[in-house]
């Protein structure tokens, strides 16, 4: 840049700052002149503006004025939008300095930057970049990362970002999931800790950094319309598990399993008249949109799984961040139960990445890779081994030979999960009948495990095997409904988790072709009706 251009840029910037200072006055003539100068500079020479941080700071101070009018706010926010096309990265970085925490004036800055879907998407990309730019030796990078997290959380409440969030939610998923663990393990600098404590004392409804990271994950499921996954995680207290550092991977496995489970249920009901209606709430799609999305998921696999699997596989091939690799591995291993993910496996050379991970210095990564390579996707003989092992395991548990009934039920549940429902058709009825016998066991933990296993059996059963399970599911309904009021909360919680799985597989009950009397459903529902009408029940 020539000296004359530098001088001109410096003069323009000084003129712009003077105009913004004039907007903080009360003289009407001065205010009008300041607006004209502001528009003239930014409409014709915005690209030449320097000291962007000072300019954004001056805009922010104008918004903070108590006597600031709607006119003044509109003028300064328009000035911000005129700067964005030429100085977006600097503007975003400057606004982040006003986002710890985000109050009303900071919210106005971020809302103004969502002027259009394309700009909103660019802003989200920059926020994601700042979120991940962490340097353990640089306290300022920690502050920027947490500020970016705050803004992403706020973006779910700003209408202008909705379209961008829907488009980017798969790209955001793994970095934001990893952010949960990062925040939980973070030793906050003293200045940040003191600031957070002060904010929480002043406003008990304010969110800590830890709660903010988890709320963002909830919002991602909301924006994607994955309410069934959200509900299953909630029922299984998955959010609490996720925000415990020692159980983070367990929580990640749970999220992936729920995604696979909902996908499996959708596959069983293509075009069914009993497809659930659209859910309301923040981020939910319209009824028509959600209905089409459900059908698409049933026909070609979950819309979530292929995208997240692809993002995770790319991380495994290019990312050096260990926390990010661990998060991606935990998701990928569970997604190997998904047909849509298995189809993509070879394209990303997944087996090669898992084998390379066996030599990693991190023991957690080594263990995850070992678990992935032991999947039946890579070891087809494993399914046959489990199939041969299952009858003996069932006889041991239900024949009174197993001393530890609870461990036996858990082993059966783990085996059915590993088999992904394959080859259990011939024994499914006997297994369901035996499981129901434990619904009234005097031990609460056994009752809870039996209810959960019953739900897993119904959910994992293949379409051809569900017909033979109908009778057992119907006869199990009364006991399951009564367990909603079980004296032990753990049993009631397990029952609520099992309900969506079983009831989704009862679409045949509402079907005109179903022979209700054949299954004794009439007597069953009559008895249920009498129980419901009993006083105090």
């Amino acid at each position: 840049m020539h000296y004359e251009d530098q001088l001109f840029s410096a003069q323009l910037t000084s003129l712009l700052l003077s105009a913004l200072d004039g907007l903080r006055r009360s003289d009407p003539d001065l205010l009008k002149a300041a607006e004209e100068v502001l528009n003239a500079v930014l409409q014709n020479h915005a690209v030449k503006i320097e000291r962007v941080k000072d300019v954004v700071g001056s805009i922010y101070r104008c918004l903070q004025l108590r006597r600031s009018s709607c006119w003044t706010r509109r003028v300064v926010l328009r000035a911000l939008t005129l700067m964005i096309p030429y100085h977006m990265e600097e503007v975003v970085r400057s606004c982040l300095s006003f986002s710890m925490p985000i109050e009303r004036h900071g919210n106005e800055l971020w809302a103004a930057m969502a002027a259009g879907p394309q700009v909103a998407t660019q802003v989200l990309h920059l926020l994601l970049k700042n979120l991940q730019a962490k340097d353990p030796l640089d306290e300022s990078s920690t502050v920027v990362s947490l500020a970016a997290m705050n803004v992403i959380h706020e973006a779910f409440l700003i209408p202008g970002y909705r379209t961008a969030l829907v488009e980017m939610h798969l790209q955001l998923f793994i970095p934001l999931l990893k952010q949960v663990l990062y925040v939980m393990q973070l030793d906050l600098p003293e200045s940040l800790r003191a600031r957070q404590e002060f904010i929480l004392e002043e406003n008990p409804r304010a969110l800590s950094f830890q709660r903010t990271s988890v709320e963002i994950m909830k919002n991602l499921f909301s924006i994607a319309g994955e309410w069934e996954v959200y509900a299953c995680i909630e029922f299984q207290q998955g959010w609490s598990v996720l925000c415990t550092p020692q159980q983070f991977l367990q929580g990640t496995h749970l999220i992936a399993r729920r995604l696979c489970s909902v996908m499996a249920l959708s596959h069983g009901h293509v075009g069914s008249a009993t497809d659930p209606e659209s859910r309301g709430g923040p981020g939910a799609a319209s009824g028509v949109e959600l209905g089409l999305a459900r059908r698409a998921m049933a026909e070609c696999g979950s819309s979530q799984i292929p995208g997240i699997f692809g993002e995770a596989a790319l991380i495994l091939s290019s990312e050096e961040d260990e926390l990010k690799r661990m998060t991606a591995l935990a998701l990928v291993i569970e997604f190997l139960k998904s047909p849509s993910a298995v189809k993509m496996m070879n394209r990303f050379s997944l087996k090669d990445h898992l084998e390379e991970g066996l030599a990693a210095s991190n023991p957690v990564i080594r263990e995850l890779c070992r678990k992935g390579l032991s999947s039946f996707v890579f070891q087809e003989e494993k399914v046959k081994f489990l199939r041969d092992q299952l009858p003996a395991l069932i006889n041991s548990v239900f024949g009174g030979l197993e001393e530890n009934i609870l461990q036996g039920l858990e082993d059966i549940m783990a085996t059915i999960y590993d088999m992904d429902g394959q080859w259990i058709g011939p024994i499914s009825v006997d297994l369901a009948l035996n499981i129901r016998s434990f619904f009234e066991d005097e031990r609460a933990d056994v009752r809870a495990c039996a209810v959960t296993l019953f739900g897993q059996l119904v959910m994992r059963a293949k379409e051809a095997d569900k017909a033979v399970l109908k009778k057992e599911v119907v006869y199990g309904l009364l006991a399951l409904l009564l367990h909603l009021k079980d004296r032990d909360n753990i049993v009631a919680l397990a029952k609520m988790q099992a309900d969506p799985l079983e009831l989704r597989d009862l679409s045949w009950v509402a079907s005109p072709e179903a022979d209700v009397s054949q299954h004794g459903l009439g007597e069953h529902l009559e008895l249920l009706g009498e129980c419901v009408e009993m006083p105090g029940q």
Side-chain angles (χ1 to χ4, degrees):
M1 183 183 290
H2 294 296
Y3 174 75
E4 293 80 1
D5 292 332
Q6 289 179 323
L7 181 60
F8 184 55
S9 294
Q11 291 172 331
L12 279 175
T13 304
S14 297
L15 183 60
L16 181 61
L17 290 170
S18 297
L20 287 168
D21 186 60
L23 288 171
R24 300 165 65 189
R25 313 297 180 186
S26 56
D27 185 336
D29 293 333
L30 185 58
L31 289 173
K32 186 63 178 173
E35 180 196 14
E36 291 176 357
V37 170
L38 205 64
N39 288 337
V41 171
L42 292 176
Q43 286 176 357
N44 298 295
H45 305 288
V47 68
K48 297 177 181 178
I49 295 300
E50 299 174 343
R51 296 164 56 195
V52 172
K53 185 175 182 179
D54 291 341
V55 174
V56 174
S58 188
I59 290 173
Y60 184 71
R61 285 191 292 275
C62 287
L63 295 173
Q64 284 183 306
L65 286 175
R66 289 187 178 181
R67 63 178 185 277
S68 178
S69 65
C70 291
W71 176 85
T72 303
R73 308 177 92 80
R74 187 173 66 251
V75 169
V76 296
L77 290 174
R78 183 168 182 272
L80 185 71
T81 61
L82 291 173
M83 291 177 61
I84 287 174
Y86 308 100
H87 307 280
M88 179 175 287
E89 192 159 352
E90 291 176 272
V91 169
V92 167
R93 188 73 181 226
S94 301
C95 289
L96 284 173
S97 62
F98 307 122
S99 303
M100 289 288 283
I102 300 177
E103 36 74 77
R104 179 168 60 89
H105 311 300
N107 185 283
E108 287 182 282
L109 291 175
W110 293 108
M113 282 192 277
Q118 186 175 357
V119 176
T121 300
Q122 292 174 324
V123 171
L124 282 178
H125 275 290
L126 288 172
L127 288 172
L128 184 58
K129 176 182 174 182
N130 282 285
L131 177 96
Q132 299 180 89
K134 306 178 182 83
D135 182 353
L137 302 177
D138 184 2
E139 182 178 319
S140 64
S141 71
T142 300
V143 175
V144 169
S145 177
L146 294 174
M149 181 182 74
N150 282 348
V151 178
I152 291 172
H153 176 260
E154 196 69 25
F156 285 95
L157 304 175
I158 300 175
Y161 289 103
R162 177 181 168 76
T163 301
L165 286 166
V166 170
E167 291 175 354
M168 285 185 62
H169 80 277
L170 294 174
Q171 187 178 345
L172 292 167
F173 190 91
I174 294 176
L176 290 173
L177 181 58
K178 174 226 169 179
Q179 182 78 1
V180 176
L181 180 59
Y182 169 76
V183 173
M184 298 303 161
Q185 294 180 333
L186 180 64
D187 183 15
L188 280 177
E190 185 58 39
S191 58
L192 276 181
R193 185 182 294 110
R195 189 186 307 183
Q196 179 174 249
E197 290 173 357
F198 175 77
I199 291 169
L200 293 175
E201 286 178 8
E202 289 290 306
N203 181 12
R205 297 179 63 183
L207 298 178
S208 65
F209 295 127
Q210 289 84 353
R211 282 186 59 197
T212 300
S213 66
V214 176
E215 288 300 316
I216 291 175
M217 289 307 302
K218 294 180 181 181
N219 288 335
L220 281 176
F221 284 107
S222 168
I223 204 77
E226 291 283 5
W227 291 103
E228 290 168 64
V229 178
Y230 182 101
C232 285
I233 296 171
E234 186 77 32
F235 280 141
Q236 291 186 275
Q237 300 178 337
W239 305 120
S240 299
V241 173
L242 190 67
C243 63
T244 305
Q246 296 78 9
Q247 296 179 298
F248 173 77
L249 288 180
Q250 181 183 339
T252 303
H253 284 307
L254 175 61
I255 289 174
R257 288 186 181 191
R258 291 309 105 203
L259 283 167
C260 290
S261 299
V262 170
M263 182 211 67
L265 290 170
S266 299
H267 270 285
H269 296 87
V270 180
S272 168
T274 58
D275 281 343
E277 295 179 359
S278 62
R279 279 78 168 169
S286 70
V288 174
E289 290 172 339
L290 193 54
L292 291 173
R294 294 288 184 200
R295 281 188 169 82
M297 287 171 67
E299 291 164 5
C300 59
S302 168
S303 62
Q304 289 272 69
I305 291 176
I308 297 174
F309 183 89
E311 291 289 334
L314 288 173
I315 287 170
L316 294 181
S317 62
S318 61
E319 186 64 54
E320 295 182 1
D321 185 328
E322 281 199 343
L323 286 182
K324 208 169 178 181
R325 285 178 63 83
M326 277 197 306
T327 306
L329 273 171
L331 292 169
V332 162
I333 290 167
E334 294 299 332
F335 285 163
L336 290 177
K337 298 288 190 301
S338 161
S340 56
V342 172
K343 289 177 184 177
M344 302 168 64
M345 187 176 64
N346 292 332
R347 193 197 329 164
F348 291 101
S349 304
L350 180 60
K351 187 175 182 180
D352 293 340
H353 291 310
L354 293 176
E355 288 174 344
E356 288 172 8
L358 294 176
S361 58
N362 189 316
V364 177
I365 290 179
R366 290 200 303 270
E367 181 58 33
L368 286 170
C369 291
R370 267 195 292 270
K371 183 177 179 182
L373 288 169
S374 68
S375 167
F376 70 82
V377 173
F378 301 115
Q379 299 183 22
E380 295 181 4
E381 68 279 2
K382 184 177 179 180
V383 176
K384 183 179 183 303
F385 170 77
L386 292 173
R387 180 191 65 187
D388 295 340
Q389 186 185 44
L390 188 58
L393 184 59
I394 292 172
N395 290 336
S396 175
V397 174
F398 299 114
L401 304 176
E402 175 68 54
E403 293 183 6
N404 190 339
I405 298 296
L406 181 61
Q407 185 60 52
L409 292 173
E410 291 175 349
D411 289 343
I412 293 174
M413 188 158 28
T415 302
I416 290 175
Y417 178 80
D418 286 339
M419 292 174 65
D420 197 29
Q422 299 183 66
W423 305 103
I424 64 172
I427 61 171
S428 58
V429 173
D430 288 341
L431 182 55
L433 182 63
N434 281 299
I435 294 170
R436 287 202 297 113
S437 69
F438 284 106
F439 282 0
E440 306 306 325
D441 194 275
E442 61 183 13
R443 294 158 293 187
D445 52 357
V446 172
R447 292 199 305 276
C449 191
V451 170
T452 304
L453 175 54
F454 194 78
Q456 282 288 325
L457 177 64
V458 175
M459 181 185 72
R460 293 287 165 194
K462 300 302 180 184
E463 194 62 30
D465 301 329
K466 288 178 181 175
V468 298
L469 275 175
K470 291 176 182 176
K471 183 178 179 180
E472 292 306 317
V473 173
V474 171
Y475 281 125
L477 271 179
L478 178 59
L480 288 169
L481 289 169
L482 292 177
H483 275 305
L484 272 176
K485 293 295 183 181
D486 194 282
R487 60 183 178 272
D488 192 282
N489 290 336
I490 295 178
V491 182
L493 181 64
K495 187 268 161 197
M496 286 191 287
Q497 294 164 12
D499 251 4
L501 308 178
E502 290 146 19
L503 295 178
R504 280 286 300 272
D505 285 281
L506 278 176
S507 58
W508 56 272
V509 171
S511 170
E513 294 84 5
D515 184 357
V516 175
S517 61
Q518 175 185 350
H519 301 286
L521 182 59
E523 293 84 353
H524 197 86
L525 292 180
E526 184 178 349
L527 176 58
L528 179 59
E530 291 174 0
C531 291
V532 171
E533 292 171 4
M534 288 174 63
Q537 297 297 314

